[in-house]
Amino acid sequence: MQQWEKLLNEKKLSIEEQQRLWDFLSHYITPRRKTLFQEKIAHRTYHITVVVEDIYQERNASAVVRSAECFGVQSVHIIENHNEYKIAKGIAKGADKWVDLHIYDQKEQNNTEVCLQSLKAQGYRLVATTPHQDDCYIHELDLRYPTAFIMGGEKDGLTPTAMEMADAYVKIPIYGFTESFNLSVATAIILYESTRRLHQSDIKWQLSEELRLRKLIEWTLKSVSDANKLLARFFEEQASNAN
């Protein structure tokens, strides 16, 4: 975690304070980048998230992150029970800079269980992406609830823990002889279909104003060369004005 991230977490800024910070920081990026950030933030969502379990090919893991970022899905959860997550720069194309990556890598614990319990506590409905007797097609899935799509590893698919903890099961229509899609392709199809339906619905899938400001601030701090100094300067000025 960067120094500026720790400081932001410690300060627990109100919406008004975050607005002032965003106004301050936006002077240090180009007008074009500021406009770009504002355009992209309007399509970001936490209503959908992606969980990937024990991916061993770094190109697949990176492609999942890239797809999530492209479709405006703000968070990705990486479970490392056996395989370590590594970013393939040529595949990710910098997508990991703009999304929230949560990596579960503690040794000697069931990281799948820890991750999924955390998501359930946050109100997510856990949807295993695998054929199952109680499954439905992706275009039939009820998206009214915050949804975490769980993707299994390339060789063995989802673990028994993931299957048991899932609240629902979803599959993609297949019309050829091959039984399944590549992991990264399957993720892209699922995210395309689910975000497409969300955008056409009356579901409140967009970020709250507070979360929008938080992401704008984080993106800006990731884009400037002296993020720690800029943030320190802002808080010094705020303290001075208060006196």
Side-chain angles (χ1 to χ4, degrees):
M1 182 179 289
Q2 299 289 332
Q3 182 180 337
W4 60 262
E5 291 179 278
K6 293 179 181 178
L7 186 55
L8 273 181
N9 291 336
E10 291 171 0
K11 289 293 184 179
K12 301 185 184 304
L13 302 178
S14 66
I15 293 180
E16 292 76 15
E17 290 171 325
Q18 288 191 72
Q19 183 64 62
R20 288 198 294 270
L21 176 54
W22 160 239
D23 292 340
F24 170 83
L25 291 173
S26 62
H27 288 96
Y28 294 91
I29 55 177
T30 65
R32 180 180 178 278
R33 173 149 289 206
K34 179 180 178 180
T35 299
L36 182 64
F37 283 175
Q38 291 172 319
E39 288 175 353
K40 300 305 179 185
I41 202 67
H43 296 95
R44 291 316 238 214
T45 188
Y46 283 116
H47 190 83
I48 287 174
T49 190
V50 182
V51 180
V52 288
E53 189 182 37
D54 265 339
I55 297 179
Y56 72 90
Q57 291 186 358
E58 63 183 54
R59 61 179 292 127
N60 277 336
S62 299
V64 167
V65 174
R66 181 175 176 179
S67 293
E69 202 283 316
C70 285
F71 288 115
V73 174
Q74 185 57 41
S75 61
V76 177
H77 300 260
I78 309 288
I79 295 173
E80 295 181 0
N81 283 321
H82 304 290
N83 304 312
E84 181 182 356
Y85 168 72
K86 295 179 181 178
I87 195 75
K89 298 295 184 183
I91 304 297
K93 296 293 185 182
D96 53 310
K97 182 177 180 179
W98 309 113
V99 300
D100 307 345
L101 285 183
H102 303 277
I103 299 178
Y104 303 79
D105 59 357
Q106 296 299 309
K107 306 300 181 186
E108 298 181 2
Q109 73 174 22
N110 187 331
N111 288 309
T112 296
E113 183 176 354
V114 171
C115 171
L116 299 186
Q117 283 181 342
S118 174
L119 288 169
K120 279 201 172 189
Q122 296 172 53
Y124 280 98
R125 184 184 186 212
L126 305 181
V127 177
T129 55
T130 183
H132 186 275
Q133 62 181 6
D134 299 320
D135 61 20
C136 67
Y137 287 115
I138 183 61
H139 59 273
E140 300 170 332
L141 184 68
D142 188 349
L143 294 174
R144 288 175 297 170
Y145 312 98
T147 302
F149 290 107
I150 316 169
M151 314 298 297
E154 298 93 337
K155 284 187 176 181
D156 302 320
L158 292 171
T159 62
T161 298
M163 293 294 290
E164 291 168 8
M165 293 185 68
D167 301 305
Y169 307 87
V170 73
K171 61 184 177 183
I172 302 169
I174 292 178
Y175 305 108
F177 294 104
T178 310
E179 292 184 355
S180 63
F181 290 96
N182 169 274
L183 169 65
S184 60
V185 172
T187 303
I189 292 171
I190 285 170
L191 294 185
Y192 167 75
E193 177 61 19
S194 54
T195 54
R196 181 191 68 81
R197 289 176 55 208
L198 280 182
H199 292 180
Q200 296 176 354
S201 73
D202 58 1
I203 297 169
K204 296 184 182 299
W205 55 268
Q206 298 94 334
L207 300 186
S208 66
E209 184 60 24
E210 184 175 4
L211 286 173
R212 286 191 186 203
L213 287 169
R214 173 73 183 209
K215 288 297 115 184
L216 288 170
I217 289 167
E218 290 178 359
W219 290 351
T220 304
L221 288 169
K222 289 179 179 180
S223 302
V224 296
S225 56
D226 294 319
N228 295 330
K229 290 182 180 179
L230 279 179
L231 197 56
R233 184 186 306 168
F234 170 79
F235 287 123
E236 287 172 4
E237 291 181 5
Q238 293 300 300
S240 177
N241 293 335
N243 295 329

